[in-house]
Amino acid sequence: MNDDPDIAIIGAGIAGAALAWHLAPHARVLLLEREAQPGQHSTGRSAAMFMETYGPPQARALTRASRAHYQQPPAGFTDVPLLAPRGVLYVGWQGQEAALEALLAELTATGAPVGRIDAAEALRRVPVLRAEGLLGAVTEPDAMDIDVHALHQGYLRGLKRAGGALCCSAELQSAHRNGDRWTLTLKDGSTLRCPALVNAAGAWADVVAARCGARPVGLQPKRRSAFTFAAPEGMDARAWPTVAAIDETWYFKPDAGQLLGSPANADPVDPHDVVPEELDIALGIHGIEQGTRLTIRRPQRTWAGLRSFAADGELVIGWDAQAPGLFWLAGQGGYGIQSADGAGQLAASLLRGVALPEQLQAQGVDPNAMSPARFASGPG
Ligand SMILES: Cc1cc2nc3c(=O)[nH]c(=O)nc-3n(C[C@H](O)[C@H](O)[C@H](O)COP(=O)(O)OP(=O)(O)OC[C@H]3O[C@@H](n4cnc5c(N)ncnc54)[C@H](O)[C@@H]3O)c2cc1C
């Protein structure tokens, strides 16, 4: 793109990429990414689940609003299915009866299909579960795996096809508003001007706000660690559902011929290129070994990523209350992949000043509940 864009988006994770794709047919869009490759941070480190029961009400509404795009993306978006059946079992043992019933009631209230199976059925589906004291599980049969890479690349390819641009190794250093335009200065000293600036910087969104002279909204990045390990010999684990402990102390799921495990930790940290603590991995292995007959000799790969939350857990989407021309798309927490298309649709319609798409309204998406204005008198 030779001319200055109408809209510059900071951060080419799934949030910035989805928004850029939705905007590109209507505006000149420039997506700026600090790293040499997009998807290096939270987007490339997720567990790739799509669960309509997961997250606070607006995150769930955006997730429901994303389903149509993921199930039937437009022609040419991708060559592979974006969603694949997976299902989830939340398993409990003796002493956790009340927790199972409480979760069943909580998930039923979300309106998504959920069920309750006994121990025998849970063991039939996942034969390695520890049988002693097993009560059974709460199930979410419609939970899916998302092909995150294909989704992310589909957005980025579509952006370019529609005339937009992605610029990597392009870190926003500062931005100043003069009249009706921002002047952006990148780390290499280059500058560009544009009327609208979108902050989709993931865990760094409060840092980017400060670089634009705006107030932070009080995002808290939280470290979550994960690892892969070999599936048990002689068993075909590929069709197992995701298995999560009812007390949220571990989960595991099939992942590309292996199993992916996590201690389901949520450790508050400052934004950085996060790595797993050894203790996180040890706790995850211990939890999974306690809840199953699996022995995890050595994890094959370990990593950690940041899930960044606003105080109420909902996403932060909308124009900044004080800084003209600054738009927020942040606070995706642990649901940023599954909600990305709905969030992109919402942000694009607010940026363009057009009515919310009907399907967002039908799912109960409420822009006020996600507006950054709810933090206007918050942390300064
Ligand atoms: C272990 C784990 C499991 C998860 N599981 C799931 C799951 O099953 N389902 C789900 O939906 N979600 C899941 N999540 C959450 C999901 O990964 C995030 O919500 C989502 O990826 C956030 O996307 P993002 O685009 O906001 O952030 P990011 O992917 O982090 O992108 C932000 C980008 O902004 C860039 N940036 C920052 N500052 C600047 C700057 N100054 N200039 C230019 N660029 C900048 C960064 O380099 C980064 O690439 C999980 C997360 C983790 C860590």
Side-chain angles (χ1 to χ4, degrees), residues 10-16 32-35 37-51 54 146 170-173 200-204 208 211 222 224-226 251 262 303-308 329-339:
I10 309 303
I14 198 73
L32 295 170
E33 169 55 48
R34 174 186 57 197
E35 308 294 348
Q37 296 289 330
Q40 186 179 318
H41 292 286
S42 303
T43 296
R45 307 180 190 203
S46 89
M49 288 297 296
F50 179 97
M51 297 190 288
Y54 190 55
I146 312 174
E171 176 173 351
L172 179 78
Q173 202 68 14
W204 291 268
V208 162
R211 291 182 183 189
K222 295 185 178 178
R224 173 155 292 187
S225 307
Y251 66 82
S262 171
W303 70 96
L306 297 177
R307 301 151 77 245
S308 299
L329 178 55
Q332 286 82 356
Y335 17 83
I337 312 285
Q338 62 179 38
S339 62

Side-chain angles (χ1 to χ4, degrees), residues 50-71 109-113 338-342 345 359-365:
F50 179 97
M51 297 190 288
E52 290 188 359
T53 59
Y54 190 55
Q58 287 299 308
R60 285 191 270 110
L62 292 175
T63 299
R64 292 193 298 272
S66 301
R67 191 165 198 136
H69 177 88
Y70 296 169
Q71 254 167 353
T110 68
Q338 62 179 38
S339 62
D341 197 78
Q345 292 178 51
Q359 62 141 340
L360 263 63
Q361 295 185 37
Q363 297 301 347
V365 170

